[in-house]
Amino acid sequence: MIKITLPDGAVREYPKGSTALDVAKSISEGLARKVLAANVNGEVWDATRPIDNDATLKLLTWQDDTGKSTFWHSSAHLLAEAVEATFPGVKFWVGPAIDKGFYYDMDLDGRSISEEDLEKLEKKMNELAKKNSQYLRKEMSKDSAIQYFTEKGDEYKLDLLGGLKDGDITFYTQGDFTDLCRGPHIPHTGFIKAIKLTNIAGAYWKNDANNKQLTRIYGVTFPSKQELDEYLQMLEEAKKRDHRKLGKELGIYTMDDDVGPGLPLWMPNGTIIIEELEQLAKETENDAGYKRVVTPHIAKESMYLTSGHLPYYADSMFPAMELDGTKYYLKAMNCPHHHKIFDAEPRSYKDMPLRLAEYGTCYRYEQSGELFGLMRVRCLHMNDAHIYCSKEQFADEFRAVNSMYLKYFKIFGIDKYVMRLSLHDPEKLGQKYINEPELWIETEEMVRQVLIESNIPFVEVAGEGAFYGPKIDVQIWSAIGREFTLATNQVDFAQGRRFNLSYTNKDNAPEVPLIIHRAPLGTHERFIGFLLEHYAGKLPTWLAPMQVKILPISDKYMDYAKSILNSLKKADIRAEIDDRSEKIGKKIRDTELMKVPYMLVVGEKEMTEQQVSVRRQGKGDLGAKSVESFVNELIGEIKERRGE
């Protein structure tokens, strides 16, 4: 007998060789019908794989991320079976699960796949899924695996086998399809009830442009048709909210080939949004005791060698330019510049904590294939700051940074968020991470405790820390459930020593400060891209480039419209008159399309009674008000930065 420890701490005994599915059935048949895979001693296994020793066990369903991932990876194998049946002789590279669904890269030997073919493949996948074919795992020796794929003439799988050794090689078979795969997989194909193949793309083998281009088919599957329908509906909504589409329609930003890829040009409307966000940050940071600084866009190579960014971060920096025999780099990060400001004057414990803030412009050489609208760019304006503090002050400072995030979340109506605590990988100390094992453990625990004490939701991820300390990636979700990485908080125990930073402590001795890197609003680029999608372009009034449009019914009322405009401008409200010779219905429709929060319709009645007819974006007619009343109400809405 073996002992199985369940997540609630209960320990049950089962015969040796029992599976996770056996355990599920012993609890309830209903549960067993939902189990997709299992976490056994920290590893994700097939639910049908025998367990021969005592183990901790968590049953994974569609509600678990790893359950979904297993479901989608298994769906990739189902796609491969359908493709192989439709295009004999096809060769496959890899077919992983991704954030939403899966893809499989394949060599069709010169054949192409059309949108019509996707429909045929979907039909075939549905046909195969209904067979309830089991996903069967088989361990293989390397020699046997090589022989199998040599006979098939599959150079792609033979290449994968080159990096594997005996004991690490498994095959999976479902129906008539067999693949080299480490797994895990769902119990059988019958779990897959709804299928949609979403896209066809080209992908170079091993992501190398010098290699052959393969065909990549993307897809998504669900355990019910209702969930697929809801997902497709969400995709349609996401298309409407795409920040690239809205950015063009609303005149927020533009890209130009002569300027270069990933280098957005902010148009007047976008610049207004930037200035409003900067004003919010300045007010918030001023209240929190930050001091503003400004630093240059370039610096000498020596500074980035001191910081350690050049060996660790060189691939993400633009190439050096040489002036007077000295190499200079475009600034990829603000921190070394801020360290130099800290070091420019003597510091004592009375100066601590010192909080230096800047909306700094940085340049990063993102790969061409990774550039995406405002989300991945090469020029970015970062809501950056660095806090220099003692170890005793760290918890309060880090807690205050997190509180700043929560304040911003409330302003922008961000209800779903999580902090992802990224830790170091002990096996990569001295390579990817500063070789200070004790400091890593100490600072990671400091961050962890602050998050626990603050009751902030967080998850831990190993191997994703910054090279100089643990970091928090702030994950937020938009109104339609799309996930974004907003910004990072980083704890730095290394840079202070690298730059010989110190302050005089209470004992009149030099002490190296701890450094917190933080950027609660991330970059203008990413955050504005998020906001456009989050609000579907209908930005709150305080943030909207144009806050009020005055719509005179005819030219007879133009002088009255101008007097209203004057009142609005005196109150610093952004407003314009639509003076086109168009019918009022068209003026209203066009203003709605430009997502202007308020429209003021003026005609004979309004002019006679010295009022305006107020229309609200998305809400329609709000009735008549005096100009003074409307202006006062709007001033309050803008000042409070209300979401509605």
Side-chain angles (χ1 to χ4, degrees), residues 21 48 55 60 105 111 163 176 191 260 277 295-296 309 312 322 334 342 428 442 454 461 466 541 612 638:
L21 208 52
T48 54
L60 302 175
D105 288 345
R111 293 168 290 187
D176 295 327
F191 281 89
L277 290 175
T295 61
H309 284 102
Y312 288 101
E322 193 161 323
N334 300 305
F342 179 93
K428 294 184 179 178
E442 181 182 10
S454 303
V461 183
T541 306
V612 289
I638 292 169

Side-chain angles (χ1 to χ4, degrees), residues 147-203:
Q147 181 181 349
Y148 179 85
F149 286 111
T150 299
E151 290 174 357
K152 290 191 71 172
D154 192 332
E155 65 270 31
Y156 301 104
K157 299 300 181 183
L158 288 171
D159 182 83
L160 285 172
L161 283 167
L164 302 175
K165 60 181 185 296
D166 281 335
D168 293 337
I169 299 169
T170 51
F171 280 19
Y172 276 85
T173 299
Q174 96 276 353
D176 295 327
F177 178 70
T178 297
D179 201 4
L180 169 69
C181 180
R182 70 166 59 94
H185 287 282
I186 59 178
H188 58 79
T189 60
F191 281 89
I192 303 170
K193 304 290 188 185
I195 300 163
K196 180 66 179 177
L197 298 180
T198 56
N199 192 25
I200 308 166

